[in-house]
Amino acid sequence: SVPIVDRRGGFIEQLHDGGGWLCETEADFAAAVERLIDPDERVRVRQEGLRIAEAWSLERFARRLLDLFD
């Protein structure tokens, strides 16, 4: 899935580098949905999202925390 979310709250820092769209207006939301019509754009944004999700995963967090304990 590709997140299309309101810029006013939630985990917006997770979309700072792409992987979805942060929207402020109805026009922003409409434009984001229209961009998903393009299969190449959808694949590109999805791949960005997967890359970003790895950075925020619980597994990665646990590895970093255990490294700090060592």
Side-chain angles (χ1 to χ4, degrees):
S1 66
V2 176
I4 301 173
V5 298
D6 195 322
R7 184 182 293 275
R8 291 180 292 178
F11 297 100
I12 62 173
E13 66 275 2
Q14 294 179 15
L15 292 179
H16 180 70
D17 294 326
W21 292 282
L22 296 172
C23 303
E24 294 181 12
T25 66
E26 289 180 24
D28 293 341
F29 281 99
V33 171
E34 281 187 33
R35 290 177 71 180
L36 289 178
I37 293 171
D38 179 353
D40 294 332
E41 178 72 356
R42 192 170 51 246
V43 168
R44 184 190 66 74
V45 174
R46 181 180 174 276
Q47 288 172 338
E48 285 178 7
L50 291 172
R51 176 186 54 80
I52 292 166
E54 171 61 26
W56 292 91
S57 72
L58 290 176
E59 180 181 335
R60 185 167 179 185
F61 171 77
R63 283 193 311 254
R64 288 185 297 200
L65 184 60
L66 291 173
D67 288 345
L68 287 172
F69 290 151
D70 286 341

